[in-house]
Amino acid sequence: MLSPQKFMSPFDCNMAIDSGYKVVLPYDGVGVGDVGALVQDAIFSRPPKACTGVFIGGKDIKLALDMMAAARAAMVPPFEVSVFADPGGSFTTAAAMMASVERLLKGRFGHNLKGLRISVFGASGVVGFASAVIAAREGARVRIVAHDTVEPLIALAQFAKERFDVTLEPVAGQTETLKAKILAVSDVALSAGPAGVNVLPRRLIARAPSLLVAADVNAVAPYGVEGMDLFMNGAPLPGCSTLGVGALAIGDVKYKTQAGLFRRMQAAAQPLALDFRDAFDLAREIVSPPRRPAKKRPARTRR
C-alpha cells in the first residue's frame, strides 16, 4: 500500500485486511519516482500468479493516477499484479454517492444521469471532484462550485478535460445569493465539503423547487445539507420535496464497493487496474435491486 502522505490511512489498511488480505505492508512518503522500484521488489520476490496487490492512497487524484500508471509500467510479464487506486477513499465514496443518486432518479423519476443539471459543492476536494467526473462521464451537465476563488476550479476543469475528456463548468458560489441561483437551475446537488461545515442551508433547498435530489457525504454535524439525516436514502428533506441521501447511506455502499474491489483483485485470473470507473460499475451493481427469478408456469398435461 503506497501513499505520498506521511501516513497510510488506517481505514484503507483495515479494509484490505477485512477483505481477506493476510499481510498489509504500508509505505508512506512515496513519490511517483519511487513506485517502480517498490513494485518490482514486490513482484520479483514471489512467484508469478502470487496473490499480491498494489493499493494507491493519498489525497491527490492526479498524483494517485500518476502513481498507478508508474506501477503498471513497472510490471514485467509474467510478474504482474493488480493495482487499485482510491486516494482518500474518493473513488469509492464518489462512486457510492453517484450510484445512490442514480438509483433514486431512476426509481422515482424514471431518469438516469444523462442530461441532468448537477451542481457539486466542495468540488475542490477529492470526493467532490471524482463525483463531478463520474457524473460528466455519464452525460450530466456538471457545475463545480467555488466557495473561495474560482481559479483552482478552472485548473481542475482543465485537468478533467485533458485527462478524462469531460466538461466541468466552474461557477462562483461564495454567497447564499449565488448558491440560490445555482440551486434554482439544478436537478441534483452534491455536497462534498469539509466535515462539520453546513454548505447548503435548509432555506436555500426549500426555495429550489426543481431540485430532485440532494446528497451529502459529511457525517460530522453540522451536516453539509441542513436537515439531512445520516441514514436518509430517498426520504424528502424537511419542508420540501427534494429527496435526500445521507452520509451513512452512502457510506454503506462505499464500504461494500471498496471491499468488493479488494476481493476482485484476489479472485482475478488476470491483473486488474482499478480506478473510479470500476468503483462506479460495482457501486451500481450494489445499489440495484436483485432481479426476481421469473415464475415458472406449471406444465400442461395432455388430456
Side-chain angles (χ1 to χ4, degrees):
M1 307 187 81
L2 311 180
S3 173
Q5 293 186 292
K6 184 178 180 180
F7 300 110
M8 170 58 69
S9 167
F11 187 104
D12 295 324
C13 293
N14 286 341
M15 287 294 298
I17 293 169
D18 291 347
S19 300
Y21 280 94
K22 296 179 179 178
V23 177
V24 170
L25 302 175
Y27 292 82
D28 49 54
V30 177
V32 175
D34 303 318
V35 171
L38 288 169
V39 168
Q40 290 188 348
D41 270 2
I43 62 177
F44 289 148
S45 61
R46 308 183 76 187
K49 307 296 183 182
C51 190
T52 300
V54 176
F55 179 85
I56 309 293
K59 290 286 186 180
D60 185 312
I61 287 178
K62 182 180 183 301
L63 182 55
L65 292 173
D66 288 344
M67 291 174 68
M68 185 177 187
R72 296 183 66 191
M75 305 299 173
V76 181
F79 295 90
E80 298 175 280
V81 299
S82 294
V83 184
F84 173 20
D86 194 17
S90 60
F91 290 168
T92 49
T93 301
M97 177 158 62
M98 293 315 306
S100 298
V101 168
E102 183 185 57
R103 179 188 63 83
L104 273 183
L105 291 169
K106 287 182 176 179
R108 304 291 182 86
F109 307 105
H111 206 298
N112 56 21
L113 296 172
K114 186 175 182 179
L116 288 190
R117 302 165 299 176
I118 296 181
S119 298
V120 184
F121 296 81
S124 59
V126 287
V127 174
F129 179 67
S131 301
V133 171
I134 290 173
R137 280 175 52 85
E138 293 301 310
R141 292 177 286 168
V142 181
R143 288 181 168 186
I144 49 177
V145 183
H147 297 287
D148 194 358
T149 59
V150 77
E151 284 75 17
L153 293 189
I154 293 174
L156 278 178
Q158 184 177 353
F159 170 65
K161 185 65 177 178
E162 293 171 354
R163 193 73 174 247
F164 309 113
D165 194 27
V166 297
T167 298
L168 306 179
E169 180 187 355
V171 294
Q174 295 91 335
T175 66
E176 285 201 4
T177 300
L178 291 172
K179 291 178 184 179
K181 290 180 178 179
I182 293 167
L183 292 176
V185 291
S186 299
D187 300 304
V188 174
L190 307 178
S191 177
V197 176
N198 177 233
V199 177
L200 297 175
R202 182 181 302 180
R203 57 186 173 274
L204 295 186
I205 299 286
R207 297 203 305 263
S210 65
L211 191 64
L212 303 176
V213 178
D216 184 12
V217 295
N218 179 8
V220 179
Y223 307 130
V225 176
E226 187 179 8
M228 182 75 75
D229 181 87
L230 290 176
F231 293 95
M232 191 172 282
N233 197 7
L237 288 164
C240 65
S241 60
T242 301
L243 305 182
V245 185
L248 294 188
I250 293 170
D252 179 62
V253 180
K254 178 263 190 320
Y255 180 90
K256 294 173 182 175
T257 301
Q258 187 171 0
L261 292 179
F262 272 126
R263 295 189 185 107
R264 187 171 291 179
M265 293 170 71
Q266 298 173 59
Q270 299 296 326
L272 303 176
L274 304 173
D275 60 18
F276 65 91
R277 290 161 286 203
D278 306 277
F280 185 52
D281 288 343
L282 181 54
R284 270 176 158 169
E285 294 177 20
I286 290 169
V287 302
S288 297
R291 293 182 179 180
R292 294 181 179 179
K295 292 183 179 179
K296 293 183 178 180
R297 294 183 179 180
R300 293 183 179 182
T301 58
R302 290 188 180 184
R303 294 184 178 179

